[in-house]
Amino acid sequence: MKLSIILLLISCLRVSANTYSQKLNLTLKNASFSQAFSAIEQKTRFRILYSDDLLPENTVNVEVRNEPLTNVLNHILYGSNLTYKVLDNKVIVISRTDAKFQAKTISGTVTDTSGNPLSGVSVMVKGTSKGTVTNAAGVYSIDVPDNNVTLVFVYVGYTIQEIPVNGDTVDVSLIPLEAAAGNDVVVTALGIKRSERDLTYSTQQIGGDELTRVKHTNLINSLNGKVAGLTINANGSGVGGSSKVVLRGSKSLLGNNQALYVIDGIPMNNNTTNQPSTGFGGTTSYDGGDPISNLNPDDIESITVLKGASASALYGGAGGNGVILITTKSGKNGKTQINFSSGATLNKIAYKPDFQNSYGQSLTTDGKGIDSTSIYSWGNPTSNSQDNLSQFFQTGNDFTNSISLSSGSKIAQSYFSYANTTSRGIEPGNKLQRNNFNFKEIGHFLNDKLTVDVNTNYITQNIDNSPNAGFYFNPLTGLYLFPRGRNIAQYKSMYEVPDVATGVPVQNWFDITPENDGSLQFGDDIQQNPWWIINRNTNALQRNRLILNAIVKYDFSSWFNLQARGSIDRINDIYDQKLYATTNPVVSGSNGKYYYSNGVSTQKYGDLIGNFNFSINNSVKITGLVGTSINDSKTVGRFYGSSGSVGLYYPNVFTLQNTITDPATTQDMPENHLQVQSVFASANIAYKDELYLDVTGRNDWSSSLSNTKDGYSFFYPSIGANALLNKIFKMPQSISLAKVRASYAEVGLAPLPYQSNPPIATIGSGGNASLNNTSPATALAPQKTKSWEIGTQWRFLGDRLGLDFTYYNTNTRNQTIQINQSVPTFYGNGYVIAGNIRNRGVELTINYDLISSSDFKWNTAVNYSFNQNKVLELAPGITQSILTGSGNGAQYVSMVKVGGSLGDIYGNVLQKDAQGRILIDSVSKSPIPTSADTSLLGNPNPKWQLGWNNNFTYKNFSLSFLVDGQFGGKVMSVTQQVMDGYGVSAITGAARSAGGVKINGAYQNGTPVTSVDAEKWYTTVGNRNGVAGEYMYSATVVRLREISLGYSLPIKSSVIKALKFSVIGSNLVYFYKKAPFDPGLTMSTGNGFSGVDIFMPPATRNFGLSLNATF
Amino acid sequence: MKYMINNSKFCSGFLIAALLIFINFGCTKNFEKYNTSNLSVSVDMASAFKHIMMAPVNFSGGGDPNSYQVQQNLSADAFSGYHMCAHFGAPNNMTYALNPGWNGEMFKVGYLDGMRYVSLIKNMGVDTKYPAAWAVAQIMQIECMHRVTDYYGPIPYSHAGPLENGQTGSVYDSQQDVYNEFFLQLDTIVTNLKAFISSGQKLPFDFSTMDLIYGNNPSNEFQNWLSYANSLRLRLAIRISNVDPATAKIQGEKALDPNNGGVLTDNSQIVQVQIPAGNFSNPLVAIAKNWVQTNIGASIQCYMTGYKDPRIGKYMDTCSNVAKYGKYRGIRVGTNPQPNESAYSGYSTINFKDGATPSFNLQTPVVLMTTAEVYFLRAEAALRNWSNAGGTADQLYEQGVQTSFNQWNAGSATTYLNDNTSVPDAYNDPLDAGNNASSPSSITVKWDDNASNEQKLERIITQKWIANFPEGMEGWTEFRRTGYPKLFPVVINSSGGTINTAVQIRRIPFSQDEYTLNNAEVIKAIQLLSTPADNGGTRLWWDTGKPNF
C-alpha cells in the first residue's frame, strides 16, 4: 500500500474559480480509478491526492469533451463512496463519512398536469452532469449516490422542477411554462413534439376537452369558430353528414381543398366520399359521410392545426391545404383509470321558411274553381292555411356513451375504449348508429430502447335515410310547396293507397292523377309525398372501417433513433336506395328502382424515419430527420342500377336478380389507384434557444404523373426562421415572450389518377365500347403551392395575455384546369396546366386570463381571420373554368374567372334600362330576365371570421360559451326562389295583399312602372328557371355557437375519482342572419355547390346534458 | 449529457439517408399500371358501327336521352311543328331565346359521336380492306353531318379531325362545299357498294350483327344500303334545287338512275335504327314517356285533325282529359307553359299509351328516312322535270301518301287522297286562349293538276312532312327550304329582334364553345353565312327565301 499525505485544512477550503474554469477532454475505457486520476493529472495542473485502499475495485468509463474538472470528477466518482475537496491546485479524494450513504436507483414517471406521460424529459442529479431521459411512457430510472440528492427535471416548454429524493420513487407532474399556448409542446409534422415557441410557422392547438365539452356527431365541427383561418361548413345532410374543412381559403380548381387529417403522425384515408353533384339530387347524389366524422371524440387527446404549407411540407402534397393533427389517448404508466362519458342532445330545427297564409291553391284555367291538382298557390284568399312543417319535422336526438379503460406499467401501457352513438335526425326515419372500438398498446423492450406502439380502431356506422338535398327524393320540396289552404294531414296518414287493379300500393299526393289507362300522371317532377319519400324512397349507408397503425422505434443512442411506421385505413361503404313502384317516373322505373353500391377505399402508408439531435457546441443544437414514405390509395367497388329510370322487373322486390342491369347502370368503380413515394429530410437548428431555423426538403414520385413528359419526380423545399426577441434583447418584465417568425414553403401536389392517361374507351350500354371525350394530358405537372408567412407572438403579464398574429400569402400555380376542346378535333375536353390562385390574409388570436384567482377564473380568447382569394391567371386563352355547370336545376353556375374568386356564383339577372330601372315587358307586364347565366352574383366565402371563446370557472362550476361570426359573402336560396314561384312564401302573400310588387321599373318605351302584379313578378323571378340574381342573400351570420355549464361533484369516494355534469347547447341563437337558411351549411363538401341552398334541411338548435365520470 | 459530432456518426447518418433514398428508387415500375384505369378498353368495329348509326338522332350513349333532347327535341322537333315541350318555362329555345348550352349539342354529336367513329373505322383499315363496310360508315357520316350543316350552315368538314401541324383551329367549309363533298363521297360509296354487290363476295365477318339498320335482312343488306345511299343523294339534291339547280339536277338524276341501283321503294327498306340490346331506348319515346317532357305540337295536330287523317291515332295519344282538352290537342310552339306546366302534359303525346298496340314504345326503332319520303322526293323531282323520277308528280305523291299509310297500318289512303275540302284546323288552346291561331293553310290533300307548281309543292311537302313524323330535323329543314307546310309561328318571340316571328327561325347559332376554343375560324365562318350575322334569323345557303320555282 502506498501512503500518501492527506491534508485536511477545512477552514482554508475554498473552491477556486480557477478549478471550474479548467476544462479538459478525457476518454477512458475500463480504467481503474488510479488510472483515471493520473490521466487527469496529465491533462491539468492539478495534483490528485488519495489513499490507495480507499479506491474501489471497479472501473470507470469516461468520454467528455471540454468539460470542467469538477464535472469530470463528479462523473468518475459518481456511485462510489468517495468524494473530493479542492485546495488550490490540489484535489483531495476522501471517503464519505455519511453513515446513511447508500447508492440506489430512483425511478418514476413524468407527466404533464393532465397526467399524460412526457417522453424525452431530461432528469438530472443536481450538481452533477449525470442524467437520463424519460421514455415514451414518461418513465425514467436513475442511479443516485445517496438520498441527499435533488433531481432536476427539465423539459422544453415546462417549468424546471427540482425535487429532493425521498424514497425510491419520484413521480413528477411538470407544469407548463405558460397556461396559454405559448410554450405548449405541440405535435408537428410526422408526430414530432416541439415547443410551440420554437416553431417558425403558425399553429393552433385544441385540447381534447374543447372537443368533448359540447359534442357533435362529426367531431370536426367542434373546431368551428375556435381556430383562426379555419372555415368549416357542415353538409346539411343530417346526422353523420360530412364537413368541408378549409384552411386559409381554397386553392385548387379541380383538386381537393380539404385539410389533411393526420392521426398520431400517420395521414388518414381522407378520400372525399360521395357528394351531391347536381342540384336535382337523385340516386347517386348523396353525402357519403367523411372519414373524420367516424372517430370517437373521447379518444382524442388533442388536435393541432398546422395552417400553412410550411408546417405541412413534410406530409407531401396532401398537406398543402394545411394539416389537422390528431393525437389520440394512450394508457399511462402506473395509472389505472376508467372513464365514462355520456351525453344526450336534443335537436330542433332552428328556423322555418316563411309561408303565406292568405291565398290558396291556384284556380282552374276557366277561373271557376280551385284546380285540386295545381301545384301552385296563386288562388283565392283562404284562411285554412296550416303549419305543415310541424306535421313533419321531429325533434332529433343524439345519445353518445363512451367508456375507456387505461392502465400501464413501465414496460407496457394499454388503452381501450368503446363508444356508441345513436342519433335520429329532424326528418323522420333519419337515424345513425355508430360503434367505435379502439385498442392501443405500447410496449417497451430491450431496456426501453425498442418501443412498439400498435393502435387498432374498428368502426361500424349505419346511417338510414340520409336526407338528399336537391329536388329529387327530398321530402322538403313536397312539404314546402304543398298548396296553401289545403290539409296535408291526409297525405301523412295515407301516403300510399292500394291500387284496385294490381294490389300494389300507390303513392298518394295531390298532384298525382290517374290517367284513362290507369297510369299515373305527376303534376311536377320535383315533388312527391314527403311521407312517401321517407318510407318508400329509403336509403341506407353502412360503413365498416378498420384503422391499424403500428410504430416500431429503436433508440440507437440518445442522439439517434430509427422508427418505422405502417398503417392501413380501410373503409367499406355499402349504400342502397330502394324506390318503390309509383315513385316519380322522372327518377325511377315504373316498377321501382334499386340502387346498390359497395366500395372499399384503402389507404396503405408506410414510412421509415431516422431522427437525430446533437449539439455542435453549447449554443447550437440541431435536431432533424431523414425519411422515406410510401402512400398507396385505391378504391375497388361496384354499383348496380344507378341510371335514371331503369328499374326493376317486378315491382318492389329489391334484389339484384330483379334489377335490370346494363353497363350504364352496373359498373365497376374506377380504382383511382394512386401511389406516392417520397424521401424527405428536415433540420431544425437552434441557436442559444434564441434563434431557430427550419429547413425541409421533399421529393415525391407520383404514379399519377406517369405518361407525362416531365416524369414522376418532383421536389419542393421549405425554410423558416424565428427569433425570440425577449431573449435577444432586454425587455420589460411584463413581456414574457416576444417572437417574430417568417417562413417560405413550396408544396407540390400530383394530379389526380388517370388525368394524364384517361381511358381510351369504356364499355357502355349493350356491351358497346364508347370512346372517351377527354384527351390525354401529357403536359400535366404537379400543382405547386408557394406560400410565405410572417408572424409574431407576444405574451405579457406573466403569460396571462397572449397575442399571435400572422400574415400569409399563398400562390397556387400549375393547376390542372379542365377545358373544353373544339369538338371538330374529336375531343370534347382535356386538361391544361396553368393558373395562379392567390390566397392572402391575416390571422389574429388574443388570449387573456382576465381573472385567475384560486376560486374564480375567467379566460377569454378571440380569434380573427381574413382571407382574400383571387384568381390571378387561368390558362392562356381561357377566361373561365366551370366548377358547377349549368343545367343543375337552377339558373346557377359556379365558375372561376380571372380576377374572380373560387366559389363565385354566376346567374341571370333582370334586364334594366339605361337609368337602372327594371325593364317590364309592355305586353306581358312581367320583368325580363337576361337569358344567360353570366352575371356575377356573389361569392359565398366569408371575407372575415371572428370567434370569441370564454371559459369561467368558479369553484366546482364551469361555464363556457363561444360566439362566432362569419362576415361578408353572399349565398343563394333556390328554396326561396321555388317557393316564391309556387306562391307559397310569405313574401308572395304580402305582395298580393299590397296589390303588387313595388319596383322602380319602366316599360321598354320608357314609361315608368312602380308596381308589378305579384304573380307575374314571382312566376318570372321565382321557380327553378327564374332569376337567380334576385335570390342572393348576405352570408353574414353571427351565432352563439356553443355554451356549456358544468359542475364537478366534490368526490371523496375511493372508487369514483371525478364526476362532472354539464348542460350544453349549440347553435342556440342567431344574433344576425339575413339569409333564409344557415349560410354555414353546404350542399356539398366538394368544390361546387358552395353557398347554394336547394331544399337543404334546416340547421338545428341543440340542447343537451353530459356526464363524465372517472373511476 | 451532450454528444459530440464525429465523422463516423455523420457518415452513418448519411448512410442511412442514402439507404432510405435507395429503397425508394426502382419501385416506380408499376406506376404506369397504377395510372391506367381498370375500366379502359379499346373500341371494336362492331361498337363503332353501332355507335355511328345511333348518332344522327343520338341515343348512342344509352341511358337517359339527355343528348337527343338538346340535340333536336328542344329545337328542330319543336320548330318542325311536331313536338313541343311544356317545361323549362319561357323564355327558352322554343320562344327563340336560343340557349347556347343546348344548341351546341348537335355540333358535339356530329363530331364526337359521328365523324370520330368513322375516322376510327378508317384507322382500323376498313376503308381498304372492306370497301363495302367503309361505304356504310360513310353513308352514316353523311346522314349525321348533313344534319349538322343543316343546323348551323358552315361547319368544319374536309378538315375535321385532329389538328395537323401548323393548324391552330379546325377550318370551316362553306355549306356549298360541304354538300359538294357529300356528293363526291356518295360517288365512292355507290361505286364501292355496286362493286361489292356485283362481285357476289361476302365480308369475312358477319356484318349484320353490327348493322342496326339493315342487319335484320342480311340477304339484301348491301342492296338496301345502296338504295339508301341513292335516296340520301336524292334528299340532298332536292335540298339544293333552288340555290344550285344545275348541280341539284345532275345529282338528283344520278340518284334516280336505275343503273346506280335504285332508291328506297318498299317499306321494308325504311331507314330505321333498331334499338340494340342494353340500356338503349328510342330517345323521343323516353322523353315523352319517362320524363313527360314532350307533347304533340299544335301544327301537326291541326293538320291531322283538319284532314281527318286516319294516321292520327297511330301518331298520337288522346288527351288525358278529353272532355276538358278535346280528343287531340297539341301545344303551340313558343308557348309560355307557366303556370299550366303540369296541365299541358295532359295534352296529346306521341302514341305510347292508348290504343291496343301503341305505335311507340321504348324499343321502337328510330326512323332516319322513310320510304314515303323518297316518293315525295321523287314527286318533287318529277315536278322539277328531272329524268328517271319513275312517275308523274301526282302518281308519286299518291304513292308517297299510301306508302306512309302502309307504314302506319292505316289502311287505304284513297278516301284521304280524294278529300279536296278539308283544310288544317285552327288552333284553340283550352288552357290559354292567347295561344289560339287561325288555320295555317288552305291546302287540301287531293292532288290538283291545275294548281300552280308552288301549290303542288306545298301539297307534296305538307304530306311529306306528315309522313316524316316524328323526326323533326328533316321536317324543320324542308320547311325552311320551301316554306311548307305553313306552320304556326311562335307565340312568344324572345329573340330580341334577330328572328322574324312570321319568317320563323332559319338556323341555330354556332356552338358557343367555338367562340372560346376556335375563335379565329368561327369568326371566318360567319363570313361564309348569307349575311354575316351568327343568329337564328340568318338564312342558310340552300334557304334562298325566294319562290321555289
Side-chain angles (χ1 to χ4, degrees), chain B residues 499-547:
Chain B
I499 302 170
N500 182 305
T501 305
V503 176
Q504 305 200 21
I505 182 166
R506 312 313 297 181
R507 69 182 278 272
I508 296 297
F510 290 125
S511 166
Q512 201 64 30
D513 281 344
E514 286 288 282
Y515 281 92
T516 44
L517 307 170
N518 191 20
N519 188 273
E521 297 304 329
V522 77
I523 296 294
K524 281 188 230 164
I526 293 170
Q527 302 304 317
L528 299 172
L529 287 165
S530 60
T531 51
D534 181 24
N535 60 47
T538 302
R539 290 176 185 274
L540 298 184
W541 169 65
W542 43 250
D543 175 8
T544 58
K546 294 176 192 146

Side-chain angles (χ1 to χ4, degrees), chain A residues 162 341 413 847 856 962:
Chain A
E162 299 190 2
S341 141
Q413 296 92 42
N847 207 309
F856 183 58
L962 168 65

Side-chain angles (χ1 to χ4, degrees), chain A residues 642-943:
Chain A
S642 75
S643 174
S645 47
V646 174
L648 303 175
Y649 295 109
Y650 300 96
N652 304 343
V653 178
F654 300 101
T655 61
L656 292 182
Q657 289 92 324
N658 192 38
T659 306
I660 301 168
T661 58
D662 180 85
T665 61
T666 301
Q667 294 186 5
D668 272 4
M669 297 174 185
E671 286 181 351
N672 289 322
H673 195 164
L674 176 67
Q675 187 174 93
V676 181
Q677 300 175 13
S678 313
V679 293
F680 45 83
S682 147
N684 173 250
I685 302 160
Y687 175 74
K688 285 185 171 174
D689 292 339
E690 291 171 354
L691 293 168
Y692 298 86
L693 180 70
D694 268 359
V695 185
T696 71
R698 183 184 182 100
N699 202 90
D700 284 353
W701 290 260
S702 171
S703 64
S704 63
L705 282 168
S706 44
N707 316 85
T708 63
K709 55 183 200 293
D710 294 335
Y712 325 115
S713 168
F714 54 103
F715 173 81
Y716 43 96
S718 78
I719 185 162
N722 80 47
L724 298 177
L725 302 179
N726 57 318
K727 292 203 173 174
I728 299 170
F729 306 107
K730 192 167 167 52
M731 288 201 170
Q733 278 273 288
S734 61
I735 298 175
S736 46
L737 175 70
K739 164 177 158 180
V740 290
R741 56 171 192 257
S743 66
Y744 170 81
E746 292 182 10
V747 176
L749 177 63
L752 301 177
Y754 311 152
Q755 279 180 338
S756 65
N757 183 27
I760 298 160
T762 49
I763 297 171
S765 205
N768 297 308
S770 293
L771 289 167
N772 193 337
N773 286 342
T774 305
S775 64
T778 54
L780 278 199
Q783 174 182 298
K784 271 270 159 79
T785 297
K786 295 184 180 183
S787 64
W788 56 267
E789 65 175 78
I790 51 172
T792 182
Q793 193 178 1
W794 294 74
R795 303 206 166 266
F796 308 95
L797 310 174
D799 291 342
R800 280 175 58 195
L801 175 63
L803 178 153
D804 193 332
F805 174 85
T806 308
Y807 176 83
Y808 61 86
N809 185 94
T810 304
N811 288 83
T812 307
R813 292 190 175 83
N814 279 4
Q815 302 255 354
T816 305
I817 300 174
Q818 184 158 26
I819 53 154
N820 288 333
Q821 277 178 268
S822 170
V823 290
T825 64
F826 294 172
Y827 284 113
N829 53 61
Y831 299 104
V832 292
I833 293 299
N836 181 359
I837 291 172
R838 182 183 66 198
N839 280 281
R840 59 183 183 190
V842 297
E843 289 156 2
L844 175 67
T845 56
I846 297 171
N847 207 309
Y848 190 25
D849 293 327
L850 272 167
I851 298 170
S852 183
S853 71
S854 59
D855 276 349
F856 183 58
K857 293 187 174 67
W858 177 15
N859 167 265
T860 189
V862 174
N863 69 73
Y864 165 87
S865 60
F866 165 86
N867 184 66
Q868 186 207 52
N869 176 291
K870 191 168 181 181
V871 179
L872 299 179
E873 289 167 27
L874 289 171
I878 301 295
T879 52
Q880 63 191 49
S881 173
I882 289 177
L883 301 180
T884 307
S886 59
N888 271 295
Q891 294 287 91
Y892 152 82
V893 176
S894 176
M895 82 184 152
V896 174
K897 288 191 178 184
V898 173
S901 304
L902 275 181
D904 279 349
I905 295 173
Y906 288 80
N908 60 348
V909 293
L910 288 174
Q911 291 187 23
K912 295 189 174 167
D913 68 6
Q915 298 171 46
R917 296 178 300 180
I918 295 167
L919 266 184
I920 303 298
D921 186 83
S922 51
V923 179
S924 70
K925 306 281 191 273
S926 297
I928 310 166
T930 57
S931 58
D933 305 340
T934 50
S935 300
L936 176 61
L937 303 180
N939 186 297
N941 296 317
K943 287 194 167 57

Side-chain angles (χ1 to χ4, degrees), chain A residues 122 321 607 860 874 942:
Chain A
S122 75
N321 294 324
D607 66 20
T860 189
L874 289 171

Side-chain angles (χ1 to χ4, degrees), chain A residues 44 177 249 265 291 382 464 539 592 757 853 1034 1055:
Chain A
T44 65
L177 273 176
T382 176
D464 289 340
N539 66 66
N757 183 27
S853 71
S1034 161
V1055 181

Side-chain angles (χ1 to χ4, degrees), chain B residues 23-36:
Chain B
I23 287 169
N24 215 282
F25 286 123
C27 303
T28 56
K29 64 175 190 289
N30 287 325
F31 273 15
E32 284 199 22
K33 191 177 90 188
Y34 297 157
N35 202 39
T36 301

Side-chain angles (χ1 to χ4, degrees), chain B residues 404-527:
Chain B
S404 175
F405 270 57
N406 295 345
Q407 181 192 335
W408 293 92
N409 289 321
S412 164
T414 312
T415 317
Y416 181 74
L417 283 167
N418 282 321
D419 185 344
N420 62 356
T421 53
S422 296
V423 293
D425 277 344
Y427 179 67
N428 291 302
D429 186 348
L431 286 170
D432 185 351
N435 295 331
N436 292 353
S438 53
S439 172
S441 175
S442 57
I443 199 78
T444 55
V445 179
K446 188 175 165 57
W447 186 261
D448 177 4
D449 251 339
N450 298 321
S452 67
N453 272 351
E454 202 65 61
Q455 283 170 316
K456 285 175 180 164
L457 185 66
E458 180 177 2
R459 201 158 263 137
I460 292 170
I461 300 295
T462 301
Q463 283 304 323
K464 182 167 84 169
W465 171 76
I466 295 173
N468 276 350
F469 182 89
E471 202 282 287
M473 188 64 207
E474 193 61 19
W476 177 48
T477 300
E478 286 289 89
F479 163 76
R480 286 179 290 161
R481 173 178 71 90
T482 62
Y484 307 124
K486 291 173 180 161
L487 300 173
F488 294 120
V490 289
V491 181
I492 300 168
N493 183 338
S494 322
S495 71
T498 57
I499 302 170
N500 182 305
T501 305
V503 176
Q504 305 200 21
I505 182 166
R506 312 313 297 181
R507 69 182 278 272
I508 296 297
F510 290 125
S511 166
Q512 201 64 30
D513 281 344
E514 286 288 282
Y515 281 92
T516 44
L517 307 170
N518 191 20
N519 188 273
E521 297 304 329
V522 77
I523 296 294
K524 281 188 230 164
I526 293 170
Q527 302 304 317

